[in-house]
């Protein structure tokens, strides 16, 4: 940095510090917080409202508001007063938390109760409702923060539930050949034995289960047929079809004791896998571990053994004999030569390092139990906040690399903080146009986009710049070998595998070690299941990272033995190609395991998976480069060079 611009640069850094302080307030405003859930006890007769969320489907990518189909909606004044503000994660994923006309009274069974007066529907509403039913959309509700799920089925000795309830029966599955409307819900609420408070000797109950079963019931005289004082016989009624001009929403409630489920473990049945799933998890870990051990043995027995012989020979031979030698020592004058497009290289490596820190810190938060499923959107909020605060360390690493490549400038430091958020936000806004056009609940409003922009401008970029300031103040990285003034000619490759293909081969190794766990993640995300096996995921990510590092070291070593010192970009691409394999697998998963076929949903799926695959690729690429760089410094510092 020139002396003339020092004052202005310090002014920029001071301004960044001020923006960072404002950014801390924006983090709070965006709703990023560590979730906390406390058990709630209810007294008999106490009224508890049931809240509703978005309509979702495993056949479509677009979630819709609960009241986008004919439903019993609260009055506007109550709806506005009781609608909860979304946090950043909820807003980005389309998760809503809205009031409804459904409510329960603690410990009171209800045979049948009207939700609201009979609803008359026009042709447009019929068409919308029929479309949602045919696309297998499900309604989502919550009671005491616990999501509703269909009555559990026993599969191989394990209780399994499906979140939500179907809006109806599609025409092709209906016995009448017409779509049926599920207008009656039967709730089964599980509770623990009462706790007695010594202060007022009052019994309180905790809710540990919330199950539902949906029915289609056609009423002739709803006021007389659906009465809380009378028994309700479902079998005595016909079913409501989509051709009916009007129908009535009703529900019933049963309270059942459940002594075997504690409040702290009431979410377990939502993400409990079968014994087969658990065996597959462990098989995946075992498979990945074997890959890591095999690579470590290969590197230990082959590469390290050969290196010891080479180092011993290189350090003992005379200068005349060196001229006749070949191998990786011949690259000592060029191996630390700056790569082409070194600024772009630095930006990608620094961004990948930031993503690694984000993933590690979020995994730690999840393993410590802070990501309670009751706090919806907390995982995405944690990822964003960890990414923002990891920007400081990305700035430090980026500044040191820029200084190392003689490209030190504040413009390049700003580029580190702008690169991934800028590209991601641009791509996300393009995908958001599809959701805006479909009026989906996942369409992010302008205010949320402005909050994201504020978080980026006032927190992420200032942190990166402050980290760069620390990095620029540190001493330059010193290489163990001096770079020659004239680049050495690279011999023609004699191998059977083209050099451009070697990064692809190296990227296949970490993908092969982690694709089984990737299958579980994709299944959970896109098939409406809850994924909270963070222990397995953390182990799998650790193993995949080790595989990427080991494969990159092996690739770099063989490249140097062929006297090719262009290792910078190939080492990065060896890790980045893992993301390419991930994307190809997600495309395969789309056409073999999912029922998504409508063009907007397919575009959204490919857009999101492309973004996620690129992030994985950048992260693994950074790991691969850093591993190769440390390996090269180690071996070249072990030889004598004139």
């Amino acid at each position: 940095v020139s002396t003339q611009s020092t004052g202005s640069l310090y002014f920029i850094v001071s301004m960044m510090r001020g923006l960072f302080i404002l950014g801390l307030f924006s983090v709070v405003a965006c709703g990023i917080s560590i979730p906390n859930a406390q058990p709630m006890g209810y007294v008999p007769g106490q009224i508890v409202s049931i809240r509703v969320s978005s309509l979702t489907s495993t056949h479509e990518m677009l979630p819709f508001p609960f009241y986008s189909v004919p439903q019993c909606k609260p009055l506007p004044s109550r709806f506005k007063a009781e609608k909860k503000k979304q946090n950043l994660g909820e807003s980005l994923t389309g998760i809503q938390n809205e009031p409804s006309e459904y409510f329960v009274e603690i410990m009171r069974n209800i045979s049948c109760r009207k939700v609201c007066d009979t609803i008359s529907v026009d042709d447009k509403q019929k068409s919308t409702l029929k479309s949602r039913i045919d696309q297998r959309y499900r309604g989502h509700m919550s009671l005491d923060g616990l999501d509703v799920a269909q009555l559990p089925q026993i599969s191989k000795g394990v209780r399994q539930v499906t979140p939500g309830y179907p809006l109806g029966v599609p025409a092709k599955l209906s016995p009448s050949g017409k779509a049926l409307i599920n207008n009656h819900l039967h709730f089964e609420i599980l509770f623990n034995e009462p706790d007695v408070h010594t202060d007022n000797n009052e019994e309180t109950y905790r809710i540990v289960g919330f199950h539902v079963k949906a029915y289609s019931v056609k009423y002739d005289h709803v006021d007389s047929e659906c009465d809380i004082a009378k028994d309700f016989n479902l079998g005595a009624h016909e079913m409501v079809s989509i051709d009916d001009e009007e129908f009535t929403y009703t529900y019933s409630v049963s309270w059942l004791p459940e002594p075997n489920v504690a409040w702290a473990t009431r979410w377990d049945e939502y993400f409990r896998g079968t014994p087969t799933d658990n065996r597959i998890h462990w098989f995946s870990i075992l498979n990945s571990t074997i890959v890591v051990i095999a690579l470590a043995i290969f590197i230990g027995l082959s590469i390290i053994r050969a290196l010891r012989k080479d180092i011993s020979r290189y350090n003992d031979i005379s200068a005349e004999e060196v001229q006749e030698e070949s191998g990786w020592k011949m690259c000592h004058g060029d191996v630390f030569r700056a790569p082409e497009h070194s600024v772009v290289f630095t930006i990608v490596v620094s961004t990948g390092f930031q993503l690694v820190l984000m993933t590690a810190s979020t995994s730690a938060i999840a393993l410590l139990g802070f990501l309670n499923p009751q706090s919806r959107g907390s995982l995405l909020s944690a990822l964003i906040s960890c990414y923002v605060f990891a920007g400081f360390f990305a700035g430090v690493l980026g500044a040191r690399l820029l200084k190392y490549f003689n490209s030190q400038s504040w413009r390049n430091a700003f580029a580190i903080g702008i690169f991934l958020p800028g590209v991601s936000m641009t791509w996300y806004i393009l995908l958001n146009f599809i959701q805006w056009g479909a009026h989906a609940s996942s369409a992010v409003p302008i205010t949320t986009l402005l909050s994201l922009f504020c978080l980026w401008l006032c927190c992420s970029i200032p942190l990166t710049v402050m980290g760069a300031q620390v990095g620029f103040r540190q001493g330059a990285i010193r290489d163990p070998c001096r770079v020659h003034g004239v680049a050495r000619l690279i011999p023609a490759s004699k191998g059977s595998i083209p050099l451009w293909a070697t990064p692809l081969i190296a990227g296949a190794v970490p993908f092969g070690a982690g694709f089984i766990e990737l299958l579980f993640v994709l299944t959970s995300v896109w098939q409406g299941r809850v994924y909270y096996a963070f222990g397995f995921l953390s182990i799998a990510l650790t193993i995949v990272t080790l595989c990427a590092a080991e494969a990159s070291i092996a690739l770099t070593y063989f490249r140097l033995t062929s006297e090719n010192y262009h290792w910078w970009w190939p080492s990065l691409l060896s890790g980045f190609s893992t993301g390419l394999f991930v994307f190809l697998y997600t495309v395969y998963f789309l056409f073999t395991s999912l029922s998504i076929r409508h063009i907007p949903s397919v575009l959204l799926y490919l857009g999101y998976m492309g973004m996620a695959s690129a992030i994985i690729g950048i992260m693994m690429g950074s790991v691969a480069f850093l591993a190769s760089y440390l390996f090269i410094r180690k071996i070249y510092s072990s030889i004598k060079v004139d």
Side-chain angles (χ1 to χ4, degrees):
V1 181
S2 62
T3 306
Q4 292 83 354
S5 59
T6 301
S8 60
L9 292 180
Y10 278 107
F11 170 76
I12 293 175
V13 173
S14 301
M15 182 181 67
M16 290 295 103
R17 288 173 177 167
L19 287 175
F20 171 65
I21 296 174
L22 293 176
L24 292 179
F25 290 99
S26 70
V27 170
V28 177
C30 291
I32 298 178
S33 60
I34 296 178
N36 187 22
Q38 297 294 333
M40 178 69 71
Y42 300 98
V43 298
Q46 183 176 349
I47 295 177
V48 182
S49 298
I50 295 175
R51 302 188 68 84
V52 297
S53 186
S54 305
L55 306 176
T56 64
S57 172
T58 58
H59 291 65
E60 293 289 336
M61 281 284 300
L62 297 168
F64 289 98
F66 187 84
Y67 297 109
S68 63
V69 296
Q71 293 281 359
C72 296
K73 187 175 182 179
L75 294 175
S77 57
R78 177 176 168 240
F79 184 84
K80 183 178 180 180
E82 298 184 11
K83 184 176 181 179
K84 292 186 177 179
K85 183 181 179 181
Q86 295 172 295
N87 61 37
L88 184 59
E90 290 174 330
S91 181
L92 291 175
T93 54
I95 299 174
Q96 297 179 327
N97 190 343
E98 298 174 332
S100 75
E101 291 292 287
Y102 293 87
F103 67 92
V104 298
E105 298 171 74
I106 302 299
M107 301 305 298
R108 183 183 181 186
N109 293 330
I110 301 296
S111 60
C112 186
R113 172 184 282 157
K114 279 199 317 179
V115 182
C116 63
D117 293 334
T118 299
I119 296 177
S120 299
V121 291
D122 55 28
D123 292 339
K124 183 178 179 181
Q125 292 174 318
K126 284 184 182 181
S127 177
T128 302
L129 182 56
K130 183 180 183 302
S131 175
R132 300 285 188 271
I133 293 174
D134 289 340
Q135 293 168 352
R136 313 292 180 87
Y137 273 87
R138 303 177 68 84
H140 294 273
M141 299 179 170
S142 63
L143 176 67
D144 187 39
L146 187 63
D147 289 349
V148 73
Q150 279 190 280
L151 289 173
Q153 298 178 349
I154 307 299
S155 176
K156 299 180 181 180
V158 179
R159 289 161 56 97
Q160 291 185 306
V161 299
T162 304
Y165 67 91
L167 293 181
V169 180
K172 60 182 179 181
L173 300 179
S174 171
S176 63
K178 300 178 181 179
L180 302 178
I181 303 171
N182 288 334
N183 63 319
H184 180 84
L185 302 179
H186 175 66
F187 298 120
E188 283 191 1
I189 305 174
L190 310 183
F191 65 93
N192 285 154
E193 290 299 321
D195 294 329
V196 179
H197 290 258
T198 56
D199 296 338
N200 50 14
N201 199 29
E202 189 177 55
E203 291 185 343
T204 60
Y205 296 82
R206 291 180 179 176
I207 297 173
V208 295
F210 186 32
H211 300 150
V212 66
K213 193 167 185 179
Y215 299 93
S216 180
V217 179
K218 186 175 183 178
Y219 297 102
D220 294 325
H221 305 283
V222 63
D223 292 327
S224 59
E225 294 173 316
C226 181
D227 192 333
I228 60 175
K230 297 180 181 179
D231 292 334
F232 183 65
N233 184 10
L234 286 170
H237 296 82
E238 296 180 1
M239 292 180 286
V240 182
S241 74
I242 198 67
D243 291 338
D244 292 321
E245 299 295 333
E246 57 183 25
F247 53 89
T248 306
Y249 282 106
T250 58
Y251 69 102
S252 54
V253 182
S254 298
W255 290 83
L256 303 174
E258 179 50 84
N260 299 321
V261 178
W263 188 92
T265 60
R266 62 180 185 166
W267 279 93
D268 286 3
E269 67 178 4
Y270 290 80
F271 41 81
R272 182 189 294 125
T274 65
T276 302
D277 291 339
N278 293 330
R279 285 195 296 269
I280 294 175
H281 273 295
W282 284 114
F283 172 77
S284 171
I285 298 300
L286 178 61
N287 168 68
S288 304
T289 304
I290 292 174
V291 173
V292 171
I293 294 175
L295 278 173
I297 292 174
F298 172 74
I299 293 175
L301 296 182
S302 301
I303 298 179
I304 295 180
R305 186 176 179 182
L307 280 171
R308 286 177 177 174
K309 289 182 179 180
D310 292 342
I311 291 171
S312 177
R313 184 172 72 255
Y314 289 151
N315 289 336
D316 291 340
I317 61 180
S318 62
E320 291 78 10
E321 293 173 314
V322 169
Q323 300 299 327
E324 301 176 0
E325 286 291 332
S326 63
W328 56 269
K329 187 183 179 182
M330 299 299 97
C331 301
H332 69 85
D334 300 280
V335 71
F336 293 105
R337 189 180 302 278
E340 295 181 354
H341 311 293
S342 59
V343 174
V344 177
F345 183 87
T346 299
I347 292 172
V348 175
V349 170
S350 304
T351 301
F353 182 66
Q354 185 176 0
L355 292 170
V356 170
L357 295 179
M358 174 199 74
T359 304
S361 53
T362 305
S363 297
I365 292 173
L367 290 174
L368 292 174
F370 289 114
L371 298 184
N372 193 297
Q374 183 171 327
S375 181
R376 298 161 183 83
S378 58
L379 176 59
L380 184 56
S381 297
L383 283 169
I384 293 174
S385 57
C386 288
Y387 177 82
V388 167
F389 289 108
F392 176 84
F393 302 98
V396 174
L397 176 63
R400 301 218 61 194
L401 288 176
L402 289 172
K403 197 171 184 178
Y404 177 71
F405 294 138
N406 294 321
S407 300
Q408 178 179 349
S409 74
W410 289 104
R411 182 184 64 182
N412 295 336
F414 270 101
I416 296 172
I418 292 173
F419 168 60
L420 184 62
V423 173
S424 299
M425 286 189 65
T426 302
W427 187 246
Y428 188 79
I429 290 173
L430 292 176
L431 295 177
N432 205 41
F433 280 119
I434 300 176
Q435 300 171 87
W436 275 335
H439 304 287
S441 62
S442 55
V444 180
I446 296 295
T447 53
T448 302
L449 292 177
L450 290 176
S451 299
L452 272 178
F453 184 79
C454 179
L455 187 64
W456 174 31
L457 180 65
C458 299
C459 199
S460 180
I461 293 179
L463 272 173
T464 304
V465 172
M466 284 190 281
Q469 183 188 28
V470 174
F472 285 148
R473 286 180 174 178
Q474 295 181 3
I477 301 174
R478 298 179 63 87
D479 296 324
C481 301
R482 181 174 57 87
V483 177
H484 291 172
V486 179
R488 186 174 183 272
L489 292 177
I490 299 175
S493 177
K494 299 178 181 179
S496 58
I497 301 176
L499 289 179
W500 61 265
T502 51
L504 294 177
I505 297 174
V509 175
F511 171 76
F515 85 95
I516 296 179
E517 196 63 34
L518 175 63
L519 173 62
F520 278 99
V521 174
L522 292 175
T523 301
S524 300
V525 171
W526 301 118
Q527 292 188 349
R529 302 179 187 177
V530 181
Y531 184 89
Y532 266 82
F534 289 113
F536 287 114
L537 183 60
S538 299
I539 296 173
L541 285 174
T542 302
I543 292 174
V544 168
T545 302
L546 291 174
C547 284
E550 292 175 348
S552 176
I553 290 173
L555 169 68
T556 301
Y557 172 74
F558 289 121
R559 182 174 287 268
L560 292 176
T561 55
S562 64
E563 301 182 27
N564 187 335
Y565 52 83
H566 292 156
W567 65 274
W568 299 85
W569 280 105
S571 66
L572 180 69
L573 293 176
S574 69
F576 185 82
S577 62
T578 302
L580 175 61
F581 284 105
V582 169
F583 180 72
L584 293 177
Y585 183 77
T586 58
V587 175
Y588 169 80
F589 183 81
L590 169 64
F591 292 105
T592 58
S593 301
L594 298 180
S595 302
I596 300 174
R597 293 297 180 266
H598 287 86
I599 297 299
S601 294
V602 171
L603 291 177
L604 285 174
Y605 175 86
L606 295 177
Y608 286 133
M609 286 294 94
M611 188 188 303
S613 300
I615 288 174
I616 293 173
I618 293 173
M619 185 167 60
M620 291 297 105
S622 180
V623 169
F625 159 72
L626 292 174
S628 290
Y629 179 73
L630 294 176
F631 169 74
I632 287 177
R633 287 187 64 87
K634 180 66 177 177
I635 64 174
Y636 280 96
S637 62
S638 302
I639 62 173
K640 297 176 182 178
V641 179
D642 293 336

